[in-house]
Amino acid sequence: MKTKYIITSLLSILLTLTSASAGNGKTIKGFSGGMMVHTGYLSGGDNPRNYNASGATFGIGGVAKLHLTEHFRAGFEGYFSNMGLKKDIVDGSFNKVFWTGALADWYWKIGKFYPYVGATVGGGMETAFYMFEGDKHDWLPEANAIYNKKPFFAFDPFVGVEYAVGEALHLTLKADWLLAVNKDGLNRPMGPRIYFGFIFSH
């Protein structure tokens, strides 16, 4: 719940600031922001059990951008992503990731379509719980399980396209590949995510 509050608060502050800044008519061409849901497929393991965590991940988050030129935008985004695990492991195990950061992207207008490419730089937190045997429903200690929580530096390249439903409402489709680097190197599991959402622009 804390991550959802962080994302909501961040977006509210940014949209308020961008709304005030956009009114000066000088350096800000406009602003946009909205919410997105995502899914993807992750795999890999960097845990002491050499367990290969793999499966579908689902999550939600949001973005806010200032339009600084006709083709360049900058802002912030943040997401929460959860991968539930069942294969070769007890149901109830999971790998959760939260990340946020500053972004920059370049976009072009082709009719009602706005293709864009960019990257986000920031940080996040991975929380992993892997239970290799036992029962999540009993109240008994589980000896064969591991839990780990660690921060990471995030670099997240992405590519996407927006479709203008109206002057103020766009639909967006985006793909990314989060590169999370911790003190031990490149964090795993990792893989592509696909995002879909609504963007309100002014």
Side-chain angles (χ1 to χ4, degrees):
M1 291 301 293
K2 290 183 179 179
T3 57
K4 294 180 181 179
Y5 288 134
I6 292 172
I7 293 172
T8 303
S9 299
L10 178 62
L11 290 176
S12 298
I13 293 170
L14 285 173
L15 289 175
T16 301
L17 292 175
T18 53
S19 178
S21 300
N24 62 28
K26 296 180 181 179
T27 59
I28 308 300
K29 303 295 183 181
F31 66 92
S32 59
M35 302 295 288
M36 285 180 271
V37 295
H38 67 261
T39 185
Y41 185 84
L42 310 183
S43 64
D46 55 4
N47 56 82
R49 295 291 299 270
N50 293 319
Y51 171 65
N52 180 25
S54 61
T57 186
F58 301 92
I60 190 170
V63 62
K65 303 176 185 179
L66 294 174
H67 300 207
L68 301 178
T69 73
E70 295 298 326
H71 297 286
F72 179 73
R73 303 179 293 196
F76 291 89
E77 66 178 354
Y79 299 96
F80 177 79
S81 192
N82 179 46
M83 180 172 67
L85 299 168
K86 296 181 181 180
K87 183 180 179 181
D88 301 325
I89 202 168
V90 176
D91 183 18
S93 303
F94 62 83
N95 184 286
K96 297 179 180 179
V97 176
F98 165 74
W99 74 100
T100 185
L103 68 84
D105 71 14
W106 288 261
Y107 70 101
W108 300 265
K109 182 179 180 181
I110 305 174
K112 289 189 175 184
F113 292 92
Y114 294 78
Y116 59 90
V117 59
T120 298
V121 176
M125 184 72 69
E126 178 199 26
T127 304
F129 174 68
Y130 304 147
M131 186 164 63
F132 297 97
E133 60 182 333
D135 189 336
K136 69 177 182 179
H137 299 293
D138 58 26
W139 284 92
L140 300 176
E142 305 295 352
N144 196 3
I146 55 177
Y147 175 85
N148 185 260
K149 189 172 185 177
K150 56 190 172 186
F152 58 80
F153 167 80
F155 177 69
D156 188 26
F158 57 81
V159 60
V161 61
E162 293 179 13
Y163 175 77
V165 178
E167 184 176 347
L169 176 62
H170 290 191
L171 301 179
T172 187
L173 183 66
K174 184 182 81 167
D176 75 346
W177 189 296
L178 175 64
L179 299 173
V181 182
N182 57 50
K183 64 179 181 179
D184 299 318
L186 190 61
N187 189 67
R188 294 178 175 82
M190 62 179 179
R193 290 179 174 86
I194 302 295
Y195 300 73
F196 176 76
F198 299 88
I199 302 295
F200 299 95
S201 60
H202 176 73

